[in-house]
Amino acid sequence: MIDLKLLRDDPDRVRASQRVRGADESLVDALLSADDARRAAVARADRLRGEQKALSREIAKATPEQRTALLSRAKHLADEVKAAEADLAEAETALRAAHLAVPNVVEDGVPPGGEDDFVTLQTVGKPPTIDAPLDHTEIGAALHAIDTERGAKVSGARFYFLTGVGAQLELALVNLAMEQAQAAGFVPVIAPALVKPEIMEGTGFLGAHAAEVYRLADDDLYLVGTSEVALAGYHAGEILDAGSLPLRYAGFSSCFRREAGSYGKDTRGIIRVHWFDKVEMFSYVQIEESRDEHQRLLAWEREFMDKLELAYRVIDVAAGDLGTSAARKFDIEAWFPSQGAYRELTSTSNCTTYQARRLNIRARDTSSRDGKPAAIGPVATLNGTLCAVARTIACLLDHHQQADGSVYVPVALRPWLGGREVLTPAGG
RNA sequence: GGAGGCUUCGCCUAGUCUGGUCUAUGGCGCCGCACUGCUAAUGCGGUUUGGGUCUCAAGCCCAUCCCGGGUUCGAAUCCCGGAGCCUCCGCCA
């Protein structure tokens, strides 16, 4: 949810944000009038409740003779209070709906436009040149590392088994990612993959992308599409000590996505699947720190790409392609030789205070008190992929394939793969 | 899955039976001030959170006793539903 105070003080800024997103500007005015309506309803309900309180105090002190007269007045007033409270509840519901409909205000400098209007910030490394490259499905099959046929037999389309060196690769990547995160000061976390509706809603995944999310109807729980959800919910409803910020967590969990509406896209292999494991970075920081933290998350993502010895580019995602919660987003896209294209491997978003407002996560600043009450305000939350395992494996096999059918193993991964420098097809 | 107990403003706690200055008690912690020639002791004051109003300062007002309903002029207190925690039984990796 955006800051209503900002909206009242500077509605044009919010309108401008809607414009670069290609979103509906009239939502801003709808929110403004819903805000006015709620405040009017609050004023009226508060006034009536005040009268009611005063009157009921009189009744408590009144003599039995006075009481009868006061009671009839009080009964009438109670009806009015009830009606005013009903109006207020309605106004609050309307405000919340209007509030949720407005996405985060984009950061200055975000490229305007849609999916294809990203700006490439940096290109790193040289894409390998291989004649007639195989794709990761073929390589994975030859290595007996990826079995999508049996994945389909057991669980359906977009499921897979990682076997042998494929399973080892997952563990190697997770270990490498967790080791790097811990060295950078992240608290390692194994997070639940099932969450309650209010947490899923608070992180913004039940809005426009609700169809992407698996729901367990019998238990009213949702399967997370990323551990961002659990890591954001971790401090929901809490007031953090500002002195303890930044708080950084590296969460490992399975991720589940229905991939509704992506039929026919990446149907081969494990680039786009219903389930995969992921190591996700998540930071809670003061709002003034959020831009710098975003750069740090990007730097840690790049560090990981460098360890995997991949050629990649960093893109500044255009406003229209940002999620609801994000004020800015950087993606890292690595080179897939078999596709002759850069494909997204990681993504980092600065959600500023938008997500924290929804989840009611605040910080108390006790540093500059001088007898004054401590300042309390929402924190900024940021997230970034460190390693989305399945897609990263797909990229590694594709990117590091050799002419002889073997796959080069990046130096950083070798300690977890028995020191192997190449992966060789069985029997080849 | 079955039975019982518990949930109060950071933590602990009084209050719930018997509805009305509960405008929520006390302790700890924390903040400020005073005093003693030092951050210890003592004394005094302050200390939930959100919202409304406003010369966005003080003040005033409203809400908030796990959550949601209900009864009532009036609910921390009574009734119904739900959540979480604990104990025991059952089941289970």
Side-chain angles (χ1 to χ4, degrees):
Chain A
M1 297 190 282
I2 65 163
D3 183 3
L4 285 180
K5 200 163 162 53
L6 168 76
L7 175 78
R8 290 172 202 153
D9 294 345
D10 193 1
D12 284 337
R13 171 122 183 262
V14 185
R15 288 194 190 96
S17 168
Q18 288 294 90
R19 214 173 305 131
V20 294
R21 275 180 179 270
D24 187 355
E25 280 184 63
S26 74
L27 292 176
V28 177
D29 296 291
L31 180 53
L32 275 169
S33 68
D35 181 43
D36 283 343
R38 186 198 70 107
R39 285 196 283 171
V42 165
R44 184 176 145 75
D46 278 2
R47 182 177 55 76
L48 286 169
R49 265 193 301 248
E51 280 178 37
Q52 186 185 38
K53 270 179 77 166
L55 189 54
S56 89
R57 250 168 307 188
E58 276 183 57
I59 291 172
K61 284 185 287 191
T63 62
E65 305 86 73
Q66 295 169 319
R67 193 165 288 211
T68 326
L70 290 175
L71 273 178
S72 70
R73 254 180 71 203
K75 276 183 183 157
H76 179 67
L77 194 52
D79 288 339
E80 278 191 89
V81 168
K82 214 168 184 179
E85 282 179 343
D87 288 347
L88 175 58
E90 208 173 296
E92 276 174 344
T93 304
L95 173 64
R96 183 167 173 79
H99 206 169
L100 291 174
V102 178
N104 201 354
V105 177
V106 302
E107 196 176 288
D108 291 335
V110 172
E115 194 176 347
D116 301 323
D117 297 314
F118 63 84
V119 170
T120 302
L121 298 176
Q122 199 161 17
T123 304
V124 179
K126 202 176 145 215
T129 48
I130 301 158
D131 290 333
L134 304 174
D135 76 5
H136 73 274
T137 315
E138 296 163 306
I139 301 165
L143 293 173
H144 296 300
I146 303 170
D147 190 338
T148 51
E149 278 185 34
R150 290 196 174 90
K153 177 175 76 178
V154 172
S155 302
R158 295 196 191 283
F159 284 92
Y160 58 95
F161 281 81
L162 294 179
T163 55
V165 75
Q168 286 178 285
L169 261 176
E170 156 140 1
L171 295 173
L173 285 165
V174 170
N175 276 308
L176 183 64
M178 276 298 191
E179 185 188 69
Q180 179 187 315
Q182 285 184 70
F186 285 79
V187 177
V189 176
I190 309 292
L194 287 166
V195 299
K196 296 178 177 182
E198 61 263 32
I199 299 295
M200 193 54 102
E201 210 214 337
T203 43
F205 286 96
L206 291 186
H209 300 289
E212 266 296 284
V213 178
Y214 284 104
R215 174 160 181 261
L216 301 186
D218 286 348
D219 301 284
D220 204 16
L221 288 170
Y222 291 90
L223 282 161
V224 300
T226 160
S227 54
E228 172 195 342
V229 176
L231 294 175
Y234 189 66
H235 286 301
E238 296 182 20
I239 300 177
L240 307 169
D241 175 5
S244 71
L245 301 178
L247 286 172
R248 299 193 179 103
Y249 299 100
F252 172 77
S253 82
S254 290
C255 305
F256 302 90
R257 302 187 179 184
R258 295 187 66 229
E259 296 298 344
S262 62
Y263 303 112
K265 240 176 149 182
D266 300 313
T267 49
R268 252 174 91 74
I270 58 171
I271 288 181
R272 190 178 296 275
V273 285
H274 287 310
W275 149 77
F276 59 96
D277 295 323
K278 181 155 69 85
V279 177
E280 178 83 0
M281 300 180 284
F282 197 89
S283 301
Y284 297 86
V285 303
Q286 298 273 49
I287 181 64
E288 310 81 55
E289 270 292 305
S290 68
R291 273 184 181 236
D292 288 345
E293 183 71 3
H294 201 193
Q295 289 300 324
R296 284 189 283 265
L297 289 174
L298 180 59
W300 283 314
E301 289 183 347
R302 287 190 44 189
E303 182 184 339
F304 195 72
M305 290 294 110
D306 292 339
K307 282 177 180 163
L308 299 182
E309 301 172 38
L310 297 170
Y312 60 90
R313 67 180 182 186
V314 179
I315 68 167
D316 193 351
V317 175
D321 201 24
L322 292 175
T324 308
S325 299
R328 190 165 209 166
K329 178 157 92 174
F330 302 120
D331 286 357
I332 293 181
E333 298 181 334
W335 183 258
F336 279 68
S338 72
Q339 299 191 15
Y342 287 102
R343 298 295 312 271
E344 178 185 334
L345 235 49
T346 75
S347 178
T348 177
S349 296
N350 180 1
C351 296
T352 64
T353 58
Y354 190 89
Q355 199 172 50
R357 278 203 166 78
R358 287 180 142 199
L359 290 167
N360 194 24
I361 305 169
R362 293 165 291 171
R364 174 186 273 117
D365 194 346
T366 50
S367 59
S368 58
R369 299 242 335 229
D370 281 343
K372 288 176 188 161
I376 292 176
V379 298
T381 59
L382 300 95
N383 60 79
T385 319
L386 197 50
C387 183
V389 174
R391 192 174 284 190
T392 302
I393 289 175
C395 183
L396 284 172
L397 299 185
D398 199 326
H399 196 285
H400 288 311
Q401 64 181 295
Q402 312 289 305
D404 64 0
S406 67
V407 173
Y408 166 83
V409 178
V411 174
L413 281 177
R414 290 177 192 171
W416 284 286
L417 290 166
R420 260 175 293 184
E421 295 175 17
V422 289
L423 307 177
T424 316

